């Protein structure tokens, strides 16, 4: 079946540091890949997506590239802010169905 | 445009009772999906409805059920509650079955005692 594995947290960084969160997936065919963010007490917000191999999703300074050869979709941001403190989820959706498979989530804490 | 709304936001129930949660999607969205979020199991897909029909179902027991109304609002029901059903229940809406963008509501926090 489909699965998503992402690095466990928490990840603690200083403001303006570089952030990388690793995400790998297992799925047949060509799933769409997503990063969602969850701030304390809130639901999930779509951060970025990529629907085919070599696509790069980007939003709010975050980027991730769909790597079919390594089945990966690592999230990066060059300079984090305290407001980026949240839990980040990598997810995939295999074809039609709005049925997301999520990774376990990575908590990121950015200190001033 | 208003976002996805879920009611109630918080709920406390006793083992053995049943509960109904409600989700109103973004106007114009016809697909509603439900997810359960727990510290132990993470985020797990429950089911998805499109135009009042269940199109996908996750691996949950039959105690978990749902429905969708003609205005796309959806409800999920959990019967014979167990302690392990304590979770944050999230619904998400999208404009079609393959839009690849789901918009999540704030969730309903269910506590079973």
């Amino acid at each position: 079946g489909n699965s998503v594995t992402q690095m466990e947290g928490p990840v603690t960084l200083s403001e303006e540091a570089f952030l990388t969160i690793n995400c790998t997936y297992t799925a047949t065919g060509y799933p769409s890949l997503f990063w969602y963010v969850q701030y304390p007490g809130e639901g999930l917000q779509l951060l970025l997506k990529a629907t085919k191999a070599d696509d790069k999703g980007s939003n709010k300074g975050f980027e991730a590239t769909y790597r079919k050869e390594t089945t990966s979709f690592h999230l990066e941001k060059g300079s984090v802010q305290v407001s980026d403190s949240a839990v980040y989820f990598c997810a995939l959706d295999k074809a039609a169905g709005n049925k997301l498979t999520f990774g376990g989530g990575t908590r990121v804490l950015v200190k001033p | 445009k208003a976002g996805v709304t879920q009611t109630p936001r918080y709920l406390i129930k006793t083992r053995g009772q049943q509960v109904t949660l409600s989700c109103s999607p973004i106007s114009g969205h016809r697909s509603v999906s439900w997810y359960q979020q727990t510290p132990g199991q993470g985020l797990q897909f429950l089911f998805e409805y499109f135009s009042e029909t269940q199109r996908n179902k996750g691996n949950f027991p039959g105690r978990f059920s749902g429905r969708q109304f003609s205005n796309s609002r959806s409800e999920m029901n959990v019967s014979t509650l167990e302690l392990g059903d304590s979770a944050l229940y999230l619904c998400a809406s999208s404009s079609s079955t393959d839009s690849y963008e789901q918009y999540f509501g704030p969730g309903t926090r269910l506590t079973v005692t």
Side-chain angles (χ1 to χ4, degrees):
Chain A
N2 302 328
S3 66
V4 177
T5 302
Q6 60 183 107
M7 59 190 290
E8 291 190 22
V11 174
T12 304
L13 303 163
S14 297
E15 216 166 15
E16 299 183 3
F18 185 87
L19 171 68
T20 298
I21 303 177
N22 291 337
C23 170
T24 58
Y25 68 90
T26 300
T28 56
Y30 296 88
S32 293
L33 302 174
F34 307 83
W35 278 100
Y36 282 86
V37 58
Q38 186 174 35
Y39 298 101
E42 298 184 13
L44 300 174
Q45 297 178 26
L46 177 64
L47 184 57
L48 53 84
K49 69 175 183 180
T51 58
K52 61 182 187 294
D54 300 324
D55 266 2
K56 176 185 282 188
S58 61
N59 185 27
K60 299 180 181 179
F62 290 90
E63 292 184 341
T65 301
Y66 189 145
R67 301 288 188 198
K68 180 67 176 174
E69 63 276 11
T70 55
T71 61
S72 65
F73 193 55
H74 305 320
L75 182 68
E76 298 180 336
K77 186 174 185 182
S79 177
V80 294
Q81 306 299 312
V82 172
S83 58
D84 293 324
S85 297
V87 181
Y88 293 81
F89 292 92
C90 185
L92 70 81
D93 193 348
K94 181 68 171 60
N98 291 319
K99 178 182 176 180
L100 289 164
T101 298
F102 287 93
T106 302
R107 183 175 301 277
V108 173
L109 177 61
V110 181
K111 297 186 174 180
Chain B
K1 191 182 268 192
V4 178
T5 58
Q6 293 186 244
T7 56
R9 291 293 309 277
Y10 302 92
L11 207 48
I12 299 175
K13 289 287 188 178
T14 303
R15 270 182 304 175
Q17 289 185 315
Q18 75 166 17
V19 66
T20 299
L21 312 181
S22 180
C23 172
S24 292
I26 292 171
S27 177
H29 285 191
R30 297 166 66 190
S31 170
V32 173
S33 299
W34 288 88
Y35 296 84
Q36 181 196 64
Q37 184 177 24
T38 60
Q41 299 298 316
L43 279 154
Q44 296 185 88
F45 172 80
L46 280 155
F47 29 65
E48 187 244 357
Y49 286 87
F50 179 80
S51 293
E52 303 178 64
T53 301
Q54 186 181 89
R55 294 181 62 89
N56 286 290
K57 190 176 190 305
N59 296 321
F60 279 82
R63 299 186 298 108
F64 292 82
S65 62
R67 60 178 176 170
Q68 187 179 34
F69 302 94
S70 58
N71 62 358
S72 295
R73 189 177 70 85
S74 178
E75 291 181 346
M76 67 164 283
N77 184 276
V78 188
S79 62
T80 320
L81 284 165
E82 300 176 359
L83 294 178
D85 297 333
S86 294
L88 180 67
Y89 290 88
L90 295 163
C91 84
S93 75
S94 66
S95 60
S96 72
T97 56
D98 60 353
S99 71
Y100 300 119
E101 289 196 24
Q102 294 188 53
Y103 297 85
F104 282 80
T108 294
R109 173 74 62 185
L110 171 65
T111 301
V112 182
T113 61

